[in-house]
Amino acid sequence: KRLSNGGLYLECHLRFFGCLTALSPDYWTYCLLRFITGFSTGGVGLCAFVLATEPIGPKKRGAAGMSTFYFFSCGIALLSGIAYVFRSWRELYIASSIPSMLFLVGVLPFISESPRWYLVRGKIDEAMKLMRAIAKANKKHLPDGVILALDEEVNENLNDGPSCKDQMDTKDVITGSLIDVVKSPVTRIRLFLAVAINFLCSVVYYGISLNVVNLQTNLYLSVFLNGMAEMPAFTITALLLDKFGRKPLAIGTQWFSGIFCLMGSLVMIHGEWKVARMVCGILGIFGMAGTYNLLFIYMAELFPTVVRNAALGCGAQAAQMGAILAPLVVVLGGGFPFAVFAVCAILGGILAFYLPETLNRPLYDTMAGMEGGESV
């Protein structure tokens, strides 16, 4: 089910549990409040990304999608500074929960639903109203008589005049689920590959971030540098995205990360070599940050609107499983975590070979539209 504004409001209200965590009287209360907080925030980033990219055309979608992740990296870098100032974990939970409350008041009231989602739900009037608002904001004007059509209707012969408009106004609601994704020969293998790649990339991405505890360097500085290393990765990936395509970059960035993780596993942890291993970690997360966020754009283009949130949610769930596994790898210490990260990154790059390229391809709305378009 599409998580729209109502779901985002729910997420922000539940973020108050982040503040309540600071008042935990015992460990089990702490665990319960952290579970509720994580449950409430797990899908907000995914839904925000979909809402931000669905109205964007193919030429600008890559750059627009990658730009959303600068705020994520800024949050990581800022968190290291907040943690440095608020050394008490109770104070840290309160300080890190305040941005969600500001989001509730300062951002959420201005968020609109995606016109594509309105279209597949049969809400033509709402979709057209939003399209006119977008055109007005861009100092453009939609001519009278313009009608929105689903991709599966593009090749149909629509009659001119009022009868065509009446047909569009009474359009049935089109829905989809993960069952439809698995049933379709076009999307089935895409889903399985995307899930596997998300899992592997998440192990590397979160693993390198958490592995700073094994580097024996300044913890706050290492987290800050990791966050800052992601920003140029987004810029470079955005610049190359429309030149080389999604698939080559997904492969190249994973292998780039894998090579430096492999080098990090071979570097000693004594003396000045600690700095060399930290550099390997920074370059490893540099490459994986490009991949991890590129996957959002790639998956959004691999699946049609009716199942896009479900497919991306499935990939995000696999990523969360990888994030759960990452600390178990990190606690092994030594060079072993870097070796695991290297294997995961290289394997993820190999799996990406079997995904289709989506550069300059249309963003499909329905399963039938995608199957018809891909067959051509």
Side-chain angles (χ1 to χ4, degrees):
K1 184 178 180 181
R2 184 65 173 252
L3 177 62
S4 57
N5 289 1
L8 293 176
Y9 273 112
L10 175 63
E11 182 273 339
C12 288
H13 284 114
L14 289 176
R15 279 297 287 164
F16 283 105
F17 286 101
C19 291
L20 293 179
T21 305
L23 305 177
S24 302
D26 54 66
Y27 177 72
W28 293 112
T29 303
Y30 169 86
C31 289
L32 175 62
L33 292 172
R34 293 311 297 159
F35 175 82
I36 296 175
T37 304
F39 181 82
S40 63
T41 59
V44 65
L46 172 65
C47 293
F49 175 82
V50 174
L51 285 171
T53 55
E54 278 192 349
I56 307 297
K59 291 185 178 180
K60 301 295 183 181
R61 190 182 304 126
M66 291 301 294
S67 67
T68 62
F69 297 107
Y70 287 108
F71 300 95
F72 185 81
S73 298
C74 287
I76 294 176
L78 183 62
L79 181 61
S80 65
I82 295 174
Y84 182 80
V85 174
F86 298 98
R87 299 300 180 93
S88 168
W89 65 269
R90 295 183 186 273
E91 295 176 352
L92 179 59
Y93 276 125
I94 295 175
S96 60
S97 298
I98 291 176
S100 291
M101 302 176 189
L102 297 177
F103 173 73
L104 175 64
V105 177
V107 177
L108 199 56
F110 303 99
I111 295 178
S112 341
E113 184 53 85
S114 165
R116 289 182 179 273
W117 186 79
Y118 277 139
L119 183 60
V120 298
R121 300 297 295 180
K123 300 180 179 181
I124 309 301
D125 291 338
E126 288 87 344
M128 286 302 303
K129 187 182 299 182
L130 187 55
M131 290 298 294
R132 291 190 183 94
I134 293 173
K136 184 178 179 180
N138 291 328
K139 298 181 179 180
K140 304 291 183 181
H141 175 69
L142 286 181
D144 294 333
V146 171
I147 298 175
L148 293 176
L150 295 169
D151 42 32
E152 66 181 19
E153 299 166 338
V154 170
N155 295 325
E156 296 179 2
N157 295 321
L158 297 176
N159 297 321
D160 294 330
S163 60
C164 176
K165 187 178 186 303
D166 292 340
Q167 179 183 355
M168 299 299 291
D169 288 340
T170 58
K171 186 186 301 179
D172 293 333
V173 175
I174 299 176
T175 60
S177 66
L178 281 177
I179 297 177
D180 299 313
V181 178
V182 175
K183 285 182 177 180
S184 172
V186 175
T187 56
R188 182 190 307 122
I189 187 65
R190 297 183 182 187
L191 180 65
F192 294 153
L193 289 172
V195 166
I197 295 172
N198 268 280
F199 174 80
L200 294 170
C201 289
S202 182
V203 172
V204 182
Y205 181 80
Y206 289 103
I208 294 177
S209 299
L210 295 173
N211 198 51
V212 294
V213 299
N214 292 328
L215 299 180
Q216 298 180 13
T217 55
N218 186 285
L219 178 63
Y220 302 98
L221 178 62
S222 297
V223 173
F224 175 78
L225 292 177
N226 280 352
M228 296 301 295
E230 296 183 14
M231 297 184 190
F234 302 153
T235 303
I236 294 173
T237 305
L239 293 174
L240 300 179
L241 200 56
D242 293 328
K243 184 176 182 180
F244 295 101
R246 280 63 165 153
K247 182 175 178 178
L249 279 182
I251 297 170
T253 51
Q254 287 184 88
W255 284 359
F256 180 92
S257 178
I259 290 172
F260 281 100
C261 286
L262 182 61
M263 292 173 59
S265 68
L266 302 175
V267 173
M268 296 181 294
I269 197 65
H270 306 293
E272 296 181 355
W273 288 104
K274 292 188 295 184
V275 178
R277 180 173 281 190
M278 183 177 71
V279 171
C280 288
I282 291 173
L283 292 174
I285 204 168
F286 173 88
M288 192 51 63
T291 307
Y292 195 71
N293 299 303
L294 166 63
L295 286 176
F296 279 84
I297 299 172
Y298 206 175
M299 287 191 66
E301 296 175 340
L302 286 171
F303 302 96
T305 302
V306 291
V307 295
R308 184 170 296 121
N309 261 50
L312 265 71
C314 199
Q317 184 62 45
Q320 294 303 317
M321 296 302 295
I324 292 172
L325 179 62
L328 304 180
V329 177
V330 170
V331 296
L332 298 175
F336 184 77
F338 270 115
V340 174
F341 303 152
V343 171
C344 290
I346 293 172
L347 180 58
I350 294 173
L351 293 178
F353 266 107
Y354 299 95
L355 286 173
E357 179 57 70
T358 60
L359 178 63
N360 294 328
R361 297 291 294 167
L363 202 61
Y364 293 103
D365 296 315
T366 64
M367 295 295 294
M370 169 168 278
E371 291 171 358
E374 294 299 309
S375 64
V376 176

PDB file of all heavy atoms in Angstrom, residues 5 10 124 161 204 236:
ATOM      1  N   ASN A   5       0.919  10.976   2.520  1.00  0.00           N
ATOM      2  CA  ASN A   5       1.074  11.940   3.602  1.00  0.00           C
ATOM      3  C   ASN A   5       0.616  11.410   4.957  1.00  0.00           C
ATOM      4  O   ASN A   5       1.216  11.698   5.978  1.00  0.00           O
ATOM      5  CB  ASN A   5       0.295  13.208   3.265  1.00  0.00           C
ATOM      6  CG  ASN A   5       0.957  13.983   2.145  1.00  0.00           C
ATOM      7  OD1 ASN A   5       1.978  13.551   1.622  1.00  0.00           O
ATOM      8  ND2 ASN A   5       0.379  15.096   1.773  1.00  0.00           N
ATOM      9  N   LEU A  10       2.186   9.705  10.454  1.00  0.00           N
ATOM     10  CA  LEU A  10       2.304   8.649  11.455  1.00  0.00           C
ATOM     11  C   LEU A  10       3.758   8.457  11.847  1.00  0.00           C
ATOM     12  O   LEU A  10       4.088   8.314  13.030  1.00  0.00           O
ATOM     13  CB  LEU A  10       1.736   7.344  10.893  1.00  0.00           C
ATOM     14  CG  LEU A  10       1.905   6.102  11.784  1.00  0.00           C
ATOM     15  CD1 LEU A  10       1.151   6.290  13.091  1.00  0.00           C
ATOM     16  CD2 LEU A  10       1.423   4.855  11.050  1.00  0.00           C
ATOM     17  N   ILE A 124      -8.143  10.925 -11.869  1.00  0.00           N
ATOM     18  CA  ILE A 124      -7.657  11.751 -12.968  1.00  0.00           C
ATOM     19  C   ILE A 124      -7.706  13.227 -12.622  1.00  0.00           C
ATOM     20  O   ILE A 124      -6.775  13.987 -12.929  1.00  0.00           O
ATOM     21  CB  ILE A 124      -8.474  11.475 -14.253  1.00  0.00           C
ATOM     22  CG1 ILE A 124      -8.539   9.973 -14.522  1.00  0.00           C
ATOM     23  CG2 ILE A 124      -7.860  12.212 -15.434  1.00  0.00           C
ATOM     24  CD1 ILE A 124      -7.209   9.317 -14.690  1.00  0.00           C
ATOM     25  N   GLY A 161     -12.782  14.301 -28.493  1.00  0.00           N
ATOM     26  CA  GLY A 161     -14.038  14.878 -28.021  1.00  0.00           C
ATOM     27  C   GLY A 161     -14.392  14.457 -26.622  1.00  0.00           C
ATOM     28  O   GLY A 161     -13.643  13.789 -25.928  1.00  0.00           O
ATOM     29  N   VAL A 204      28.045  -4.220   3.185  1.00  0.00           N
ATOM     30  CA  VAL A 204      29.270  -3.432   2.987  1.00  0.00           C
ATOM     31  C   VAL A 204      29.091  -2.013   3.507  1.00  0.00           C
ATOM     32  O   VAL A 204      29.934  -1.492   4.246  1.00  0.00           O
ATOM     33  CB  VAL A 204      29.661  -3.409   1.495  1.00  0.00           C
ATOM     34  CG1 VAL A 204      30.959  -2.627   1.301  1.00  0.00           C
ATOM     35  CG2 VAL A 204      29.812  -4.828   0.960  1.00  0.00           C
ATOM     36  N   ILE A 236      29.839  12.555  -8.358  1.00  0.00           N
ATOM     37  CA  ILE A 236      30.467  11.863  -9.488  1.00  0.00           C
ATOM     38  C   ILE A 236      29.482  10.892 -10.131  1.00  0.00           C
ATOM     39  O   ILE A 236      29.388  10.796 -11.362  1.00  0.00           O
ATOM     40  CB  ILE A 236      31.742  11.129  -9.014  1.00  0.00           C
ATOM     41  CG1 ILE A 236      32.785  12.151  -8.566  1.00  0.00           C
ATOM     42  CG2 ILE A 236      32.296  10.245 -10.127  1.00  0.00           C
ATOM     43  CD1 ILE A 236      34.019  11.539  -7.934  1.00  0.00           C
TER      44      ILE A 236
END
